[in-house]
Amino acid sequence: MRLAVLSDVHGNLAALEAVLRDMAARGVDGAVHLGDLVGWGADARAVVERVHAEGVPGVAGNWDLAVLCPDPDEAWTRFLAGVAPEAARPVLGRTREELGESHRECLRGFPAQMRIQEGALSLLLAHGSPDSPTEGLSEQTPEARLRELLDRTGVDILLVGHTHRPLARKVGGGLLLNPGSVGRPADGDPRASYLVLDTEGELTIQAVRVEFGVETRRSDGVALLLPCR
């Protein structure tokens, strides 16, 4: 089984389409996502529709939960305060207004975490961590914290997103993997980032970067298409 793992599309349709084309070219057998389909980018509706049309299962991210929360102030406090800058407040409002009921229904269908079995390997999908969609697990996370999470969940591989930075970290006999961000990378490489896991025989993990066009909007509302290399 060759499984593509995506995360943090953040309303960036151009990046998502580029990744889907790359996945098809590589002949992956399936895909999962780790949340935050929406937020920041201008194409939240189209991204949700595309992921739904492709039938990609996944989990809810903190931005997905924020747009579903009935009260905007509670949404900010619970899911974005402390992990997003104050400048994100208008983005939250815009995204909440943009999504229709059908898009919200799709987002409601994503659980907080998901377990899957690939051959002899057990995997747990979560956005930030199994405990919170806003907890970022990184190179700086203490080993003891990661061991506690893997021991408690009892899985071989913990797949998380949220930090927008690719990561592969061995923890005892287990692995912590982060595919990075499709739509908003934060590791200095502007290309879309995702992982391909090959579970046939000995596990192999391929980190993939894909070029895409990034749409930016000037204050006058004119859309510009800039190459992202």
Side-chain angles (χ1 to χ4, degrees), residues 34 157-160 167-169 175-179 195 197 205:
L34 303 177
I157 302 175
L158 178 56
L159 289 165
V160 298
L167 177 65
R169 188 169 165 185
L175 284 173
L176 171 71
L177 297 178
N178 188 321
L195 293 178
L197 277 57
I205 304 163

Side-chain angles (χ1 to χ4, degrees), residues 42-162:
D43 298 309
R45 292 172 65 99
V47 165
V48 174
E49 291 167 4
R50 192 73 169 90
V51 169
H52 178 70
E54 290 291 322
V56 180
V59 298
N62 58 301
W63 272 91
D64 306 322
L65 294 168
V67 299
L68 292 175
C69 186
D71 182 88
D73 292 331
E74 182 184 355
W76 179 264
T77 301
R78 289 182 60 191
F79 302 114
L80 295 175
V83 297
E86 192 67 23
R89 278 187 183 268
V91 178
L92 174 61
R94 184 201 73 206
T95 306
R96 288 167 63 91
E97 293 174 0
E98 180 184 356
L99 296 178
E101 182 55 32
S102 63
H103 306 95
R104 295 172 185 276
E105 191 62 29
C106 288
L107 294 179
R108 288 190 194 101
F110 298 133
Q113 56 185 255
M114 176 186 299
R115 290 175 182 264
I116 59 177
Q117 190 76 27
E118 290 296 335
L121 293 173
S122 56
L123 297 81
L124 180 66
L125 284 59
H127 180 67
S129 82
D131 289 343
S132 170
T134 60
E135 180 183 6
L137 303 179
S138 69
E139 288 281 8
Q140 287 70 48
T141 303
E143 180 88 2
R145 170 60 174 158
L146 300 182
R147 282 181 177 272
E148 186 270 329
L149 288 172
L150 281 162
D151 289 346
R152 172 154 50 89
T153 56
V155 295
D156 300 303
I157 302 175
L158 178 56
L159 289 165
V160 298
H162 188 58

